[in-house]
Amino acid sequence: MRWNLRWVAANADIWRPADLHAACRAVGYSPSLGKVASWWNGPPTAVRLDELDMICAALGCRVADLLESEPPGGAESRAAAAPPDAGAPTSD
């Protein structure tokens, strides 16, 4: 799962964890600044659904904007799994 919080925040003209914290408080959600900073610095290992709703309210986005599904291992593993001559004509 890809965590796009900083990209979504940038689209909302939010550039620092303190700004995100203020945006959360503006919609009635008061997480600690430490929690907001942990979301900002990388993908959370767990996030509650109600927290996702409040983050989305603060940023004016959808959950699908914050979380993007990606295959395990990303593009590197897909490229490694493909045969080296995939698509090349065979000489049988």
Side-chain angles (χ1 to χ4, degrees), residues 11-84:
N11 286 327
D13 201 30
I14 292 175
W15 302 99
R16 300 175 311 153
D19 298 333
L20 178 57
H21 186 252
C24 286
R25 292 177 59 95
V27 296
Y29 177 47
S30 299
S32 69
L33 183 54
K35 179 177 262 193
V36 173
S38 72
W39 295 334
W40 191 265
N41 291 322
T45 55
V47 62
R48 295 183 354 217
L49 295 177
D50 62 328
E51 290 175 328
L52 281 175
D53 280 341
M54 296 308 278
I55 294 167
C56 288
L59 294 175
C61 69
R62 300 172 305 133
V63 171
D65 298 325
L66 289 174
L67 296 171
E68 184 179 341
S69 179
E70 64 182 0
E76 297 82 24
S77 69
R78 288 192 307 273

